[in-house]
Amino acid sequence: MDRLSFTPTFQGTSYGIGDQIGLIWEQTREPLMVPLLKLMVVVCLTMSVMLFVERVYMGIVIALVKLFGRKPEQRYNWEPMKEDFELGNSAYPMVLVQIPMYNEKEVYQLSIGAACGLSWPSDRIIIQVLDDSTDPTIKDLVEMECQRWASKGINIKYEIRGNRHGYKAGALKEGMKHSYVKQCDYVAIFDADFQPEPDFLWRTIPFLVHNPEIGLVQARWKFVNSDECLMTRMQEMSLDYHFTVEQEVGSSTHAFFGFNGTAGVWRISALNEAGGWKDRTTVEDMDLAVRASLKGWKFVYVGDIKVKNELPSTFKAYRYQQHRWSCGPANLFKKMAIEIARNKKVNLWKKLYVIYSFFFVRKIVAHVVTFLFYCVVFPATVFFPEVEVPTWGAIYIPSTITLLNAVGTPRSLHLLVFWILFENVMSLHRTKATFIGLLEVGRVNEWVVTEKLGDALKMKSSTKTPKKPRIRIGERMHLLELGVGAYLFFCGCYDFTYGKNGFFIYLFFQSIAFFIAGFGCVGTFVPNS
C-alpha cells in the first residue's frame, strides 16, 4: 500500500482544491513521478561511484607516496643557494614579491611586514604592493606603511591604478608591466592575509634555479584562526584534505595541480609563455596553472613549507568565497575543455587527469551529487516506497568518502558528523555556483574579496565595554537555507509517521543544520553597527 494516497470524493460536480491536488497526484504519480525519481537515483548513484573511485584512487596514491615516495627535494634537483665571492649578490636571482590587496585595513601591516622580513639579498628582491583599495583612508595607511619600510632600506614599491578592471588578475597583470619587473626572474605572490616565514625564498627558489622545467613552486597554507569557531574548524578539515591529498597527488603523479593564487613562486618566463594573467573567470590562478601546464611546464607542491593565513570566520564571507571557488572552476572547465583535449604538448593520461579527475569529478560532480542526492533526491524517496536507494549507495559509499576526506585533519575526527552536515549545507551554494559557471549566467564573474578580520574582534572586545549589538533580521537570515531546511523537516516528519527505514534521524539533523545556517547562527557575527 502506498504511504501517501489521496481518494478524491465528488459531491455533485464540485470538489475542493485538496481533492483536485489529490486527483493530479494520483494521475501523475505512477506514470511520471516514480520513473523520474528512479532515474534521478540512478544518476546520483552513478555520480557517487565516480566520486568514490576518485577518492579511493587518491587515497591509494597518497598512501604509496607517504610510504615509498620521495620528498620534492629528492625527486628534483634541490641544492641550497651558495654564496659566490666573485659574483657577490649578482649570483642570486632577482625576485619580485607581489601583494595584491583591496581595503585590507585589518591585515595590511601583517602581510607587508612579513614580505619585507623575507631573508634574501636586499638588492635582489623587490616588494610590490598592488593596492586596489577604494577607501582613501585605507589607501593612505597602506602607502604610509610602504614608506615606513622604504625608510628602513627595503626596496618596496607602492602601486595603484585608476580602476579595478579584472580585479586581482587585473592588478597582478598591471603590476607585471612596470619596467623594473623586467630584471626579475621569479615572482612570489602572497594575498593580504598571508605571512611567509623569513626563509620562504631560500626553500622555494632552489627548485626553480636547478630545475629549468619547473614553472611553479606551491607551499601549503597554515591557518592561524582554525580554532576561532566551529565553522573555521570545518573549513580546516576540507582544506587540509585539499593540501594533504589533492595537491600532493597531483604534484607526485602528473606534476600538475591548481595554483592556489597565493603562497607560491612562479618562473616569470613560464607565466609569460602561458599568456600571463587573464580575468575571464573568477579563478585566475587556476586558469594560469592550466595554461602553463598545457605549455609543458611542471609544478611542484612542497607541503613542508607552510605559510600562515586566515580563514574566513563569518558565514557571509565564507559563502562569497565558496561561490567564487565553485563558479570559477566550472566556468573555466567550459572554456578550456576542448583546448585541453586538442593540446599536443601533454600526453593522453595527463589530459584525462585534468579533464576528468581535476575538473569534472572534483569541481562539478562532487558539488552536484552532494546537494542533489543527499538534500533533494534521497529525502524525496520517503514519499515513494517503490523507489529504493541501495544500502551501498546510501551508507557505505558516503561513509567511505567521508572517512577518506577526514584523513587530512586527524585532530578533528570527533567533529566528523558536524562536518558532514555543514558540507551538505554548503553544497547548496556550491551547486548553485557550479551551474552559474557552466551556464555563464547571473553572478558568473562576481568577485567579492573575502573579508579578513585579523585581530579586529579581539582588539574591540578588549578595548570597548561589551554592548549588546543591534541585529537586523535581514543581516542574518538566508532564505535558501531556510527553504531547504523546511523541505528536509517535512520529509523527516513524513518518514517518522509512515516510514520504516529510520531516515528521519538523518533528515531531522540535516534540517536543523540548514535552519542554523538559515538563521545566521554560524561562524563569527560582526554587526554593521
Side-chain angles (χ1 to χ4, degrees), residues 74-124:
Q74 298 170 323
R75 294 201 309 270
Y76 294 97
N77 183 15
W78 189 95
E79 296 177 7
M81 302 295 296
K82 297 178 181 178
E83 187 176 358
D84 191 313
F85 294 101
E86 293 184 4
L87 296 176
N89 285 348
S90 61
Y92 297 94
M94 196 75 180
V95 179
L96 174 70
V97 178
Q98 290 185 312
I99 310 174
M101 56 177 59
Y102 172 74
N103 292 339
E104 307 287 2
K105 181 180 179 181
E106 309 298 347
V107 295
Y108 73 94
Q109 287 181 309
L110 294 175
S111 58
I112 294 175
C116 292
L118 287 170
S119 173
W120 198 254
S122 59
D123 60 338
R124 307 300 292 171

Short mmCIF file of all heavy atoms in Angstrom, two decimals, residues 74-124:
data_model
loop_
_atom_site.label_atom_id
_atom_site.label_comp_id
_atom_site.label_asym_id
_atom_site.label_seq_id
_atom_site.Cartn_x
_atom_site.Cartn_y
_atom_site.Cartn_z
N GLN A 74 63.99 15.42 -3.04
CA GLN A 74 64.67 14.22 -3.54
C GLN A 74 64.26 13.90 -4.98
O GLN A 74 65.06 13.38 -5.75
CB GLN A 74 64.36 13.03 -2.63
CG GLN A 74 64.85 13.21 -1.20
CD GLN A 74 64.33 12.14 -0.26
OE1 GLN A 74 63.18 11.71 -0.38
NE2 GLN A 74 65.17 11.71 0.68
N ARG A 75 63.00 14.23 -5.32
CA ARG A 75 62.54 13.97 -6.69
C ARG A 75 63.17 14.93 -7.70
O ARG A 75 63.40 14.57 -8.85
CB ARG A 75 61.01 14.08 -6.78
CG ARG A 75 60.24 13.06 -6.01
CD ARG A 75 58.82 12.91 -6.53
NE ARG A 75 58.11 14.17 -6.64
CZ ARG A 75 57.37 14.71 -5.69
NH1 ARG A 75 57.28 14.09 -4.51
NH2 ARG A 75 56.73 15.84 -5.87
N TYR A 76 63.43 16.13 -7.23
CA TYR A 76 64.02 17.14 -8.11
C TYR A 76 65.41 17.52 -7.59
O TYR A 76 65.77 17.23 -6.44
CB TYR A 76 63.13 18.38 -8.17
CG TYR A 76 61.79 18.13 -8.83
CD1 TYR A 76 60.66 17.87 -8.05
CD2 TYR A 76 61.65 18.14 -10.21
CE1 TYR A 76 59.42 17.64 -8.64
CE2 TYR A 76 60.42 17.91 -10.81
CZ TYR A 76 59.31 17.66 -10.02
OH TYR A 76 58.09 17.42 -10.62
N ASN A 77 66.15 18.20 -8.43
CA ASN A 77 67.47 18.66 -8.05
C ASN A 77 67.31 19.89 -7.14
O ASN A 77 66.92 20.96 -7.60
CB ASN A 77 68.28 19.03 -9.30
CG ASN A 77 69.69 19.45 -8.97
OD1 ASN A 77 70.18 19.23 -7.86
ND2 ASN A 77 70.36 20.09 -9.92
N TRP A 78 67.57 19.71 -5.87
CA TRP A 78 67.46 20.81 -4.92
C TRP A 78 68.75 20.95 -4.15
O TRP A 78 69.21 20.02 -3.48
CB TRP A 78 66.30 20.58 -3.95
CG TRP A 78 65.99 21.78 -3.09
CD1 TRP A 78 65.06 22.73 -3.32
CD2 TRP A 78 66.64 22.15 -1.86
NE1 TRP A 78 65.07 23.69 -2.33
CE2 TRP A 78 66.04 23.36 -1.41
CE3 TRP A 78 67.68 21.61 -1.10
CZ2 TRP A 78 66.44 24.01 -0.24
CZ3 TRP A 78 68.07 22.26 0.07
CH2 TRP A 78 67.44 23.44 0.48
N GLU A 79 69.36 22.11 -4.27
CA GLU A 79 70.57 22.43 -3.51
C GLU A 79 70.42 23.83 -2.95
O GLU A 79 69.88 24.72 -3.62
CB GLU A 79 71.81 22.38 -4.42
CG GLU A 79 72.12 21.01 -4.99
CD GLU A 79 73.32 21.06 -5.93
OE1 GLU A 79 73.95 22.14 -6.00
OE2 GLU A 79 73.61 20.05 -6.58
N PRO A 80 70.89 24.04 -1.74
CA PRO A 80 70.79 25.40 -1.17
C PRO A 80 71.60 26.40 -2.00
O PRO A 80 72.63 26.04 -2.59
CB PRO A 80 71.34 25.23 0.25
CG PRO A 80 72.19 24.00 0.19
CD PRO A 80 71.55 23.10 -0.81
N MET A 81 71.09 27.62 -2.05
CA MET A 81 71.80 28.67 -2.77
C MET A 81 73.14 28.93 -2.08
O MET A 81 73.20 29.12 -0.86
CB MET A 81 70.97 29.94 -2.82
CG MET A 81 69.60 29.77 -3.46
SD MET A 81 69.70 29.37 -5.22
CE MET A 81 70.46 30.86 -5.85
N LYS A 82 74.22 28.92 -2.88
CA LYS A 82 75.56 29.11 -2.32
C LYS A 82 76.10 30.49 -2.65
O LYS A 82 75.87 31.01 -3.73
CB LYS A 82 76.50 28.03 -2.86
CG LYS A 82 76.10 26.61 -2.45
CD LYS A 82 77.05 25.59 -3.04
CE LYS A 82 76.63 24.17 -2.65
NZ LYS A 82 77.52 23.15 -3.27
N GLU A 83 76.82 31.02 -1.71
CA GLU A 83 77.40 32.34 -1.90
C GLU A 83 78.58 32.27 -2.86
O GLU A 83 79.42 31.36 -2.78
CB GLU A 83 77.85 32.90 -0.55
CG GLU A 83 78.31 34.34 -0.60
CD GLU A 83 78.65 34.88 0.77
OE1 GLU A 83 78.49 34.14 1.76
OE2 GLU A 83 79.08 36.05 0.84
N ASP A 84 78.63 33.21 -3.80
CA ASP A 84 79.71 33.29 -4.77
C ASP A 84 80.51 34.56 -4.46
O ASP A 84 80.02 35.67 -4.64
CB ASP A 84 79.14 33.35 -6.20
CG ASP A 84 80.23 33.16 -7.25
OD1 ASP A 84 81.28 33.82 -7.12
OD2 ASP A 84 80.02 32.39 -8.20
N PHE A 85 81.77 34.38 -4.00
CA PHE A 85 82.57 35.52 -3.57
C PHE A 85 82.98 36.41 -4.74
O PHE A 85 83.22 37.60 -4.58
CB PHE A 85 83.80 35.05 -2.81
CG PHE A 85 83.46 34.37 -1.50
CD1 PHE A 85 83.47 32.99 -1.39
CD2 PHE A 85 83.11 35.14 -0.39
CE1 PHE A 85 83.14 32.38 -0.18
CE2 PHE A 85 82.79 34.53 0.81
CZ PHE A 85 82.80 33.15 0.93
N GLU A 86 83.05 35.82 -5.94
CA GLU A 86 83.43 36.62 -7.12
C GLU A 86 82.25 37.44 -7.63
O GLU A 86 82.37 38.64 -7.91
CB GLU A 86 83.96 35.71 -8.22
CG GLU A 86 85.29 35.03 -7.88
CD GLU A 86 85.81 34.20 -9.04
OE1 GLU A 86 85.18 34.24 -10.12
OE2 GLU A 86 86.84 33.54 -8.87
N LEU A 87 81.11 36.80 -7.77
CA LEU A 87 79.93 37.48 -8.31
C LEU A 87 79.18 38.28 -7.25
O LEU A 87 78.43 39.21 -7.57
CB LEU A 87 78.99 36.46 -8.97
CG LEU A 87 79.54 35.72 -10.19
CD1 LEU A 87 78.54 34.68 -10.67
CD2 LEU A 87 79.87 36.70 -11.31
N GLY A 88 79.36 37.90 -6.00
CA GLY A 88 78.64 38.58 -4.93
C GLY A 88 77.15 38.32 -5.01
O GLY A 88 76.71 37.22 -5.39
N ASN A 89 76.35 39.31 -4.72
CA ASN A 89 74.90 39.14 -4.71
C ASN A 89 74.32 38.92 -6.10
O ASN A 89 73.20 38.41 -6.24
CB ASN A 89 74.23 40.37 -4.09
CG ASN A 89 74.39 40.40 -2.58
OD1 ASN A 89 74.80 39.41 -1.97
ND2 ASN A 89 74.10 41.54 -1.96
N SER A 90 75.06 39.28 -7.15
CA SER A 90 74.55 39.08 -8.51
C SER A 90 74.41 37.61 -8.86
O SER A 90 73.78 37.26 -9.87
CB SER A 90 75.47 39.78 -9.52
OG SER A 90 76.79 39.22 -9.46
N ALA A 91 74.95 36.74 -8.02
CA ALA A 91 74.80 35.29 -8.25
C ALA A 91 73.40 34.82 -7.88
O ALA A 91 72.98 33.74 -8.30
CB ALA A 91 75.83 34.53 -7.43
N TYR A 92 72.69 35.63 -7.14
CA TYR A 92 71.33 35.28 -6.73
C TYR A 92 70.33 35.83 -7.75
O TYR A 92 70.48 36.94 -8.25
CB TYR A 92 71.02 35.84 -5.35
CG TYR A 92 71.89 35.28 -4.25
CD1 TYR A 92 73.05 35.95 -3.86
CD2 TYR A 92 71.57 34.08 -3.62
CE1 TYR A 92 73.86 35.44 -2.86
CE2 TYR A 92 72.37 33.57 -2.61
CZ TYR A 92 73.52 34.25 -2.23
OH TYR A 92 74.32 33.74 -1.25
N PRO A 93 69.29 35.06 -8.05
CA PRO A 93 68.28 35.56 -9.00
C PRO A 93 67.49 36.72 -8.40
O PRO A 93 67.37 36.85 -7.19
CB PRO A 93 67.38 34.34 -9.23
CG PRO A 93 67.54 33.51 -8.00
CD PRO A 93 68.97 33.70 -7.56
N MET A 94 66.96 37.55 -9.30
CA MET A 94 66.15 38.69 -8.87
C MET A 94 64.72 38.21 -8.63
O MET A 94 64.12 37.56 -9.49
CB MET A 94 66.17 39.76 -9.95
CG MET A 94 65.70 41.10 -9.48
SD MET A 94 66.96 41.92 -8.46
CE MET A 94 66.10 43.45 -8.08
N VAL A 95 64.17 38.53 -7.48
CA VAL A 95 62.85 38.04 -7.10
C VAL A 95 61.89 39.22 -6.89
O VAL A 95 62.23 40.19 -6.19
CB VAL A 95 62.91 37.19 -5.81
CG1 VAL A 95 61.52 36.72 -5.42
CG2 VAL A 95 63.84 36.01 -6.00
N LEU A 96 60.72 39.12 -7.49
CA LEU A 96 59.65 40.08 -7.27
C LEU A 96 58.64 39.46 -6.31
O LEU A 96 58.25 38.30 -6.48
CB LEU A 96 58.96 40.42 -8.60
CG LEU A 96 57.73 41.32 -8.53
CD1 LEU A 96 58.13 42.75 -8.15
CD2 LEU A 96 56.98 41.31 -9.86
N VAL A 97 58.20 40.20 -5.31
CA VAL A 97 57.18 39.73 -4.38
C VAL A 97 55.96 40.62 -4.54
O VAL A 97 56.02 41.83 -4.27
CB VAL A 97 57.67 39.77 -2.92
CG1 VAL A 97 56.56 39.32 -1.98
CG2 VAL A 97 58.91 38.90 -2.75
N GLN A 98 54.86 40.05 -5.01
CA GLN A 98 53.63 40.81 -5.22
C GLN A 98 52.63 40.58 -4.10
O GLN A 98 52.39 39.43 -3.71
CB GLN A 98 52.99 40.43 -6.57
CG GLN A 98 53.76 40.91 -7.79
CD GLN A 98 53.01 40.61 -9.08
OE1 GLN A 98 52.54 39.49 -9.29
NE2 GLN A 98 52.93 41.60 -9.96
N ILE A 99 52.02 41.67 -3.61
CA ILE A 99 50.99 41.58 -2.58
C ILE A 99 49.77 42.36 -3.08
O ILE A 99 49.69 43.57 -2.91
CB ILE A 99 51.46 42.16 -1.24
CG1 ILE A 99 52.81 41.59 -0.84
CG2 ILE A 99 50.42 41.87 -0.15
CD1 ILE A 99 53.40 42.24 0.40
N PRO A 100 48.81 41.69 -3.72
CA PRO A 100 47.58 42.39 -4.13
C PRO A 100 46.66 42.57 -2.94
O PRO A 100 46.51 41.67 -2.11
CB PRO A 100 46.98 41.44 -5.16
CG PRO A 100 47.48 40.08 -4.76
CD PRO A 100 48.83 40.30 -4.16
N MET A 101 46.05 43.74 -2.82
CA MET A 101 45.14 43.97 -1.70
C MET A 101 44.03 44.93 -2.08
O MET A 101 44.17 45.73 -3.01
CB MET A 101 45.90 44.46 -0.47
CG MET A 101 46.72 45.70 -0.64
SD MET A 101 47.49 46.21 0.94
CE MET A 101 48.46 44.77 1.37
N TYR A 102 42.93 44.82 -1.32
CA TYR A 102 41.76 45.66 -1.55
C TYR A 102 41.08 45.95 -0.23
O TYR A 102 40.50 45.06 0.39
CB TYR A 102 40.78 44.96 -2.50
CG TYR A 102 39.45 45.66 -2.65
CD1 TYR A 102 39.33 46.84 -3.40
CD2 TYR A 102 38.31 45.16 -2.04
CE1 TYR A 102 38.11 47.48 -3.52
CE2 TYR A 102 37.08 45.79 -2.16
CZ TYR A 102 36.99 46.96 -2.90
OH TYR A 102 35.78 47.59 -3.03
N ASN A 103 41.22 47.18 0.24
CA ASN A 103 40.60 47.61 1.51
C ASN A 103 40.92 46.65 2.66
O ASN A 103 40.03 46.24 3.41
CB ASN A 103 39.08 47.75 1.36
CG ASN A 103 38.69 48.90 0.44
OD1 ASN A 103 39.47 49.82 0.21
ND2 ASN A 103 37.48 48.86 -0.09
N GLU A 104 42.19 46.31 2.79
CA GLU A 104 42.61 45.33 3.80
C GLU A 104 43.07 46.02 5.08
O GLU A 104 44.22 45.90 5.50
CB GLU A 104 43.74 44.45 3.23
CG GLU A 104 43.44 43.80 1.91
CD GLU A 104 42.46 42.64 2.02
OE1 GLU A 104 41.98 42.38 3.14
OE2 GLU A 104 42.18 42.01 0.99
N LYS A 105 42.18 46.73 5.71
CA LYS A 105 42.54 47.54 6.88
C LYS A 105 43.07 46.69 8.03
O LYS A 105 43.99 47.11 8.76
CB LYS A 105 41.31 48.33 7.35
CG LYS A 105 41.58 49.23 8.55
CD LYS A 105 40.32 49.99 8.96
CE LYS A 105 40.59 50.86 10.18
NZ LYS A 105 39.37 51.59 10.61
N GLU A 106 42.51 45.50 8.21
CA GLU A 106 42.85 44.70 9.39
C GLU A 106 44.15 43.90 9.25
O GLU A 106 44.72 43.49 10.25
CB GLU A 106 41.70 43.72 9.72
CG GLU A 106 40.32 44.37 9.81
CD GLU A 106 40.22 45.41 10.92
OE1 GLU A 106 41.12 45.44 11.77
OE2 GLU A 106 39.25 46.18 10.92
N VAL A 107 44.60 43.67 8.01
CA VAL A 107 45.73 42.74 7.83
C VAL A 107 46.88 43.29 7.00
O VAL A 107 47.90 42.62 6.84
CB VAL A 107 45.25 41.41 7.20
CG1 VAL A 107 44.31 40.67 8.12
CG2 VAL A 107 44.57 41.67 5.85
N TYR A 108 46.76 44.52 6.47
CA TYR A 108 47.79 45.00 5.54
C TYR A 108 49.17 45.08 6.19
O TYR A 108 50.19 44.80 5.54
CB TYR A 108 47.39 46.37 4.97
CG TYR A 108 47.50 47.53 5.92
CD1 TYR A 108 48.66 48.32 5.97
CD2 TYR A 108 46.46 47.85 6.79
CE1 TYR A 108 48.77 49.38 6.86
CE2 TYR A 108 46.55 48.90 7.66
CZ TYR A 108 47.71 49.67 7.71
OH TYR A 108 47.82 50.71 8.58
N GLN A 109 49.22 45.43 7.47
CA GLN A 109 50.51 45.53 8.14
C GLN A 109 51.18 44.16 8.29
O GLN A 109 52.41 44.04 8.17
CB GLN A 109 50.34 46.17 9.52
CG GLN A 109 50.05 47.67 9.47
CD GLN A 109 49.90 48.26 10.86
OE1 GLN A 109 49.14 47.74 11.69
NE2 GLN A 109 50.62 49.34 11.13
N LEU A 110 50.36 43.13 8.53
CA LEU A 110 50.91 41.78 8.69
C LEU A 110 51.56 41.29 7.42
O LEU A 110 52.69 40.79 7.43
CB LEU A 110 49.79 40.81 9.11
CG LEU A 110 49.15 41.03 10.48
CD1 LEU A 110 47.98 40.06 10.67
CD2 LEU A 110 50.17 40.83 11.58
N SER A 111 50.87 41.42 6.30
CA SER A 111 51.40 40.90 5.03
C SER A 111 52.60 41.70 4.55
O SER A 111 53.61 41.13 4.11
CB SER A 111 50.30 40.91 3.96
OG SER A 111 49.79 42.21 3.77
N ILE A 112 52.52 43.02 4.64
CA ILE A 112 53.65 43.85 4.20
C ILE A 112 54.87 43.60 5.09
O ILE A 112 56.00 43.46 4.61
CB ILE A 112 53.27 45.35 4.20
CG1 ILE A 112 52.19 45.61 3.14
CG2 ILE A 112 54.49 46.22 3.94
CD1 ILE A 112 51.65 47.03 3.14
N GLY A 113 54.62 43.51 6.39
CA GLY A 113 55.73 43.25 7.31
C GLY A 113 56.38 41.91 7.07
O GLY A 113 57.61 41.79 7.11
N ALA A 114 55.56 40.87 6.81
CA ALA A 114 56.11 39.54 6.55
C ALA A 114 56.91 39.52 5.26
O ALA A 114 57.99 38.90 5.18
CB ALA A 114 54.98 38.51 6.49
N ALA A 115 56.41 40.18 4.21
CA ALA A 115 57.11 40.22 2.93
C ALA A 115 58.44 40.97 3.06
O ALA A 115 59.46 40.56 2.50
CB ALA A 115 56.24 40.87 1.87
N CYS A 116 58.41 42.08 3.79
CA CYS A 116 59.63 42.85 3.98
C CYS A 116 60.63 42.12 4.89
O CYS A 116 61.82 42.44 4.89
CB CYS A 116 59.30 44.22 4.56
SG CYS A 116 58.40 45.31 3.41
N GLY A 117 60.13 41.14 5.64
CA GLY A 117 61.01 40.37 6.51
C GLY A 117 61.60 39.14 5.86
O GLY A 117 62.33 38.38 6.51
N LEU A 118 61.30 38.92 4.58
CA LEU A 118 61.87 37.77 3.87
C LEU A 118 63.38 37.90 3.78
O LEU A 118 63.91 38.96 3.44
CB LEU A 118 61.27 37.67 2.46
CG LEU A 118 59.82 37.20 2.36
CD1 LEU A 118 59.29 37.40 0.95
CD2 LEU A 118 59.71 35.73 2.76
N SER A 119 64.04 36.80 4.07
CA SER A 119 65.50 36.78 4.01
C SER A 119 65.95 36.53 2.57
O SER A 119 65.70 35.46 2.01
CB SER A 119 66.03 35.68 4.94
OG SER A 119 67.42 35.53 4.79
N TRP A 120 66.61 37.53 1.99
CA TRP A 120 67.13 37.44 0.62
C TRP A 120 68.03 38.67 0.42
O TRP A 120 67.78 39.71 1.05
CB TRP A 120 66.00 37.44 -0.40
CG TRP A 120 66.37 36.94 -1.77
CD1 TRP A 120 66.54 37.69 -2.90
CD2 TRP A 120 66.63 35.59 -2.14
NE1 TRP A 120 66.89 36.89 -3.97
CE2 TRP A 120 66.95 35.59 -3.53
CE3 TRP A 120 66.64 34.38 -1.47
CZ2 TRP A 120 67.26 34.42 -4.23
CZ3 TRP A 120 66.95 33.21 -2.16
CH2 TRP A 120 67.25 33.25 -3.52
N PRO A 121 69.07 38.57 -0.38
CA PRO A 121 69.91 39.75 -0.59
C PRO A 121 69.07 40.98 -0.93
O PRO A 121 68.24 40.93 -1.84
CB PRO A 121 70.81 39.34 -1.75
CG PRO A 121 70.92 37.85 -1.60
CD PRO A 121 69.57 37.40 -1.11
N SER A 122 69.27 42.05 -0.19
CA SER A 122 68.38 43.22 -0.29
C SER A 122 68.35 43.85 -1.67
O SER A 122 67.35 44.46 -2.05
CB SER A 122 68.79 44.27 0.75
OG SER A 122 70.14 44.67 0.55
N ASP A 123 69.45 43.71 -2.42
CA ASP A 123 69.47 44.30 -3.76
C ASP A 123 68.97 43.33 -4.84
O ASP A 123 69.04 43.64 -6.03
CB ASP A 123 70.87 44.80 -4.11
CG ASP A 123 71.90 43.68 -4.09
OD1 ASP A 123 71.64 42.64 -3.42
OD2 ASP A 123 72.96 43.82 -4.72
N ARG A 124 68.47 42.16 -4.41
CA ARG A 124 67.98 41.15 -5.36
C ARG A 124 66.50 40.83 -5.11
O ARG A 124 66.02 39.77 -5.52
CB ARG A 124 68.81 39.87 -5.27
CG ARG A 124 70.30 40.05 -5.42
CD ARG A 124 70.67 40.67 -6.75
NE ARG A 124 70.42 39.76 -7.86
CZ ARG A 124 70.50 40.12 -9.15
NH1 ARG A 124 70.79 41.38 -9.47
NH2 ARG A 124 70.28 39.24 -10.10
#
